[in-house]
């Protein structure tokens, strides 16, 4: 019988997150062509993606946050009608989600807020319906801890 530690060691390691050429485990150059309209100090910047779509889905808005030159968070909003298409595109790229949920959003349970989450070595990606089912939000969050602030 295999011990639990051996079974865990044999499991596939989680991949690193990558989207549109941005990788959570690699530095993001200040002049990267994937980003535009950046604001903030080099240690913490907020930018928009230059690409207008992914998987033939129009991006309504985007926000990319870097901390100390590395991808820290990524947010994309798009029309709710494209939610299923986006989930299928993410499944093709990243595989089956680690979890999916259906959450009643009204007392009668008529509307549902759908979501799916993928886990990575360096964070997680979540896609969910928001705003009364009119749009979906896709977000990546890094599990890399920001350096502690030291005041002298």
């Amino acid at each position: 019988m295999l011990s639990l530690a051996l079974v865990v060691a044999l499991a596939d390691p989680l991949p690193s997150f990558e989207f549109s050429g941005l990788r959570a485990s690699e530095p993001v150059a200040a002049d990267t062509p994937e980003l535009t309209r950046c604001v903030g100090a080099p240690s913490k910047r907020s930018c928009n993606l230059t690409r207008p779509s992914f998987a033939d889905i129009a991006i309504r808005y985007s926000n990319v946050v870097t901390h100390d030159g590395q991808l820290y968070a990524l947010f994309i909003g798009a029309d709710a009608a494209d939610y299923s298409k986006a989930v299928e595109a993410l499944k093709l790229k990243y595989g089956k989600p680690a979890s999916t949920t259906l959450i009643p959003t009204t007392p009668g349970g008529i509307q549902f807020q759908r979501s799916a989450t993928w886990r990575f070595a360096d964070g997680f990606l979540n896609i969910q319906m928001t705003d009364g089912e009119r749009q979906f939000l896709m977000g990546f969050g890094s599990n890399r801890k920001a350096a502690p602030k030291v005041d002298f």
Side-chain angles (χ1 to χ4, degrees), residues 106-144:
T106 64
I110 296 169
Q111 292 181 318
F112 288 88
Q113 185 175 38
R114 296 169 286 183
S115 73
T117 302
W118 287 261
R119 303 215 184 284
F120 297 91
D122 38 25
F124 66 93
L125 174 69
N126 179 267
I127 183 170
Q128 66 181 7
M129 298 296 290
T130 62
D131 193 23
E133 303 278 312
R134 290 190 300 262
Q135 65 180 346
F136 72 82
L137 176 66
M138 183 175 90
F140 167 76
S142 173
N143 60 12
R144 181 179 67 87

Side-chain angles (χ1 to χ4, degrees), residues 26-96:
E26 296 178 10
V28 177
D31 60 349
T32 184
E34 289 84 5
L35 301 177
T36 186
R37 295 190 302 256
C38 296
V39 296
S43 61
K44 184 176 180 184
R45 293 188 321 150
S46 177
C47 307
N48 295 114
L49 289 171
T50 54
R51 68 186 298 169
S53 64
F54 77 98
D56 294 325
I57 297 168
I59 295 174
R60 278 190 184 176
Y61 59 87
S62 64
N63 187 346
V64 177
V65 179
T66 62
H67 279 203
D68 298 325
Q70 288 195 309
L71 179 64
Y72 189 74
L74 175 135
F75 303 98
I76 291 175
D79 289 328
D82 291 322
Y83 176 82
S84 294
K85 186 177 182 180
V87 169
E88 290 308 310
L90 295 171
K91 284 180 183 178
L92 283 174
K93 183 170 178 86
Y94 304 122
K96 183 179 174 183

